[in-house]
Amino acid sequence: MGNGGRSGLQQGKGNVDGVAATPTAASASCQYRCIECNQEAKELYRDYNHGVLKITICKSCQKPVDKYIEYDPVIILINAILCKAQAYRHILFNTQINIHGKLCIFCLLCEAYLRWWQLQDSNQNTAPDDLIRYAKEWDFYRMFAIAALEQTAYFIGIFTFLWVERPMTAKKKPNFILLLKALLLSSYGKLLLIPAVIWEHDYTPLCLKLIKVFVLTSNFQAIRVTLNINRKLSLLAMVSGLLLESIMVYFFQSMEWDVGSDCAIYKSQDF
């Protein structure tokens, strides 16, 4: 079998007679999932002698539990960009990724910088240099805080809707911790703001709107895959989050705290 993706999935091995025992998901803190039917599985593959692997077959759909363990990470990323549910299940359930916090902070920094840059570009300040530097630094912190609060409102709106509709979403209590991680990971599309940070004068509102659509599509797929709910509930959850976020944006605009430009990924006038 191929080696692609094997190094990051050593926790997926099963026990085989005559081979060194390896912990399975039954002894871990979570179950693996079949990427095709979303059924729980105790192992992803078995590792025999001499590096021979045998992928576990799902008892429910009779397909490989996770075919992506043989795929190159680039192929997995492409499938995730295409918003394939199988790729999302592989990433969310069958791998160990702990970059949620760092990814969130980095994306917020990019968004805050775009807002801060446009604010400085529109202001003509004749104050002394020291005061200008202090004011600019404070403005960047303010933009970062506003971007963080808007994203928090978006997540709270999603969680609130899912909590109210909990009897409809799943037979058991939804794992909101896992959902939060999924939403943070699926917001990786905001990294596309990096070119806008590098080439400040070349980005356009159309580019930012396309980034917004991509991020929302990824969030939609993350909600649907994580909670195993239908598209309607996932869409309503996202709409609830966007409505609460738009209220937060309107509040900042009414208080004249926000830039009031197209730099934000989500703006109230879009709804």
Side-chain angles (χ1 to χ4, degrees), residues 146 149-150 153 243-253:
I146 290 173
L149 288 173
E150 289 177 5
L243 287 175
L244 185 58
E245 186 181 34
S246 66
I247 294 174
M248 182 72 70
V249 173
Y250 177 79
F251 170 76
F252 288 139
Q253 290 178 342

Side-chain angles (χ1 to χ4, degrees), residues 224-238:
R224 191 171 74 88
V225 168
T226 303
L227 300 182
N228 196 28
I229 59 178
N230 58 50
R231 291 180 173 86
K232 180 181 178 180
L233 286 176
S234 300
L235 181 60
L236 290 175
M238 282 187 51

Side-chain angles (χ1 to χ4, degrees), residues 33 51 74 76 91 132 142 148 154 168 210 234 246-247 268:
R33 297 288 182 90
V74 175
I76 299 174
I91 294 171
I132 292 177
R142 180 163 58 94
Y154 172 65
M168 299 174 56
L210 291 176
S234 300
S246 66
I247 294 174
S268 58

Side-chain angles (χ1 to χ4, degrees), residues 73-212:
V74 175
I75 303 299
I76 299 174
L77 177 60
I78 293 174
N79 280 263
I81 292 175
L82 295 175
C83 291
K84 289 189 175 182
Q86 294 89 339
Y88 272 75
R89 291 192 184 103
H90 167 79
I91 294 171
L92 296 176
F93 298 119
N94 299 339
T95 60
Q96 294 180 345
I97 300 178
N98 298 310
I99 62 171
H100 315 86
K102 295 178 181 179
L103 180 62
C104 177
I105 295 297
F106 189 74
C107 291
L108 288 175
L109 286 172
C110 292
E111 188 173 353
Y113 179 81
L114 285 177
R115 299 184 183 203
W116 174 83
W117 173 81
Q118 184 159 352
L119 179 65
Q120 303 307 317
D121 189 61
S122 61
N123 286 346
Q124 298 295 331
N125 200 325
T126 58
D129 291 342
D130 291 342
L131 293 179
I132 292 177
R133 284 194 294 268
Y134 177 78
K136 287 184 176 181
E137 182 179 355
W138 169 249
D139 285 338
F140 178 79
Y141 296 148
R142 180 163 58 94
M143 292 301 103
F144 181 87
I146 290 173
L149 288 173
E150 289 177 5
Q151 180 170 277
T152 301
Y154 172 65
F155 289 160
I156 290 176
I158 292 175
F159 294 149
T160 300
F161 174 83
L162 293 173
W163 178 265
V164 172
E165 298 296 328
R166 182 173 50 174
M168 299 174 56
T169 57
K171 296 180 180 179
K172 59 182 181 180
K173 183 178 178 181
N175 189 340
F176 286 129
I177 300 298
L178 179 61
L179 177 59
L180 177 60
K181 293 180 178 180
L183 287 172
L184 292 175
L185 281 178
S186 62
S187 297
Y188 69 93
K190 291 183 179 181
L191 294 177
L192 296 174
L193 290 171
I194 295 177
V197 173
I198 298 174
W199 297 289
E200 297 172 336
H201 300 283
D202 294 334
Y203 76 90
T204 63
L206 176 60
C207 176
L208 297 178
K209 290 183 183 297
L210 291 176
I211 294 174
K212 170 184 173 179

Side-chain angles (χ1 to χ4, degrees), residues 83 206-220 238 265-266:
C83 291
L206 176 60
C207 176
L208 297 178
K209 290 183 183 297
L210 291 176
I211 294 174
K212 170 184 173 179
V213 171
F214 178 73
V215 172
L216 291 178
T217 303
S218 299
N219 289 163
F220 169 82
M238 282 187 51
I265 289 293
Y266 307 107

